[in-house]
Amino acid sequence: HRVQRLDQYNSFYKSSILPHVADLYLRSEMRTPLICLRNDGDPRRSIESLHAMYNCEAKVHEITLDPRYGDQEKPLLAMVSKALDTGDWVVVSGAETMRESTSRSVGRQIMTVQPEPAKFPRRRKFRLWLVWHFAVAPPAP
């Protein structure tokens, strides 16, 4: 019975995962931000399903960046710092509005961290998901 229930559980989650989001996760590691565009399908449900399949003991934290809310760099950096230690996942919605300085700070934070499996055994499970609501055109030459 247990194996059958596990198969049903896995098939439910697999059916709700966008293939490109699953591929991103399967090719990822803790220091690589995962970038998703909403016009390719809302990745939130896929992220939650992947999390349930692969990282059940940790949490998914979400922050929505919106210039109307003012500077959100400190809360974002604090969330990423804590999640790095616990192996949680962070989903940043509206990532296209992230200031360049914030992007650099987050990048430094995840690129300079060491895995340290003895001290932080779940750190390797950390993932940073950047969800863009729309594609941003590159600057004109």
Side-chain angles (χ1 to χ4, degrees):
H1 280 120
R2 181 179 160 89
V3 172
Q4 183 180 10
R5 278 185 282 160
L6 187 59
D7 287 342
Q8 290 170 341
Y9 174 82
N10 283 338
S11 67
F12 166 76
Y13 282 106
K14 285 179 186 173
S15 68
S16 65
I17 299 173
L18 296 168
H20 64 280
V21 176
D23 190 48
L24 261 177
Y25 172 72
L26 293 173
R27 295 171 186 254
S28 72
E29 55 90 30
M30 63 176 270
R31 292 188 185 135
T32 306
L34 305 160
I35 300 172
C36 302
L37 298 176
R38 287 216 28 173
N39 60 345
D40 292 335
D42 188 353
R44 220 184 266 127
R45 184 170 178 184
S46 296
I47 292 168
E48 290 169 359
S49 296
L50 284 165
H51 181 267
M53 288 176 66
Y54 294 105
N55 198 13
C56 292
E57 59 280 350
K59 297 176 182 174
V60 177
H61 304 279
E62 185 169 0
I63 185 168
T64 300
L65 300 182
D66 187 327
R68 295 175 296 181
Y69 301 144
D71 185 14
Q72 295 170 294
E73 182 172 354
K74 286 182 183 177
L76 175 59
L77 291 173
M79 186 181 291
V80 169
S81 179
K82 181 179 178 191
L84 276 164
D85 291 344
T86 59
D88 292 349
W89 289 8
V90 175
V91 179
V92 181
S93 293
E96 73 278 359
T97 67
M98 188 182 301
R99 293 186 343 209
E100 185 177 336
S101 61
T102 303
S103 179
R104 288 176 191 258
S105 295
V106 170
R108 270 192 303 276
Q109 193 173 22
I110 65 172
M111 291 304 295
T112 58
V113 72
Q114 297 298 315
E116 298 183 78
K119 190 173 179 183
F120 302 104
R122 292 181 17 206
R123 181 176 276 174
R124 65 182 170 72
K125 293 186 174 197
F126 166 81
R127 294 296 183 276
L128 174 64
W129 296 86
L130 302 176
V131 179
W132 291 49
H133 291 190
F134 54 87
V136 178

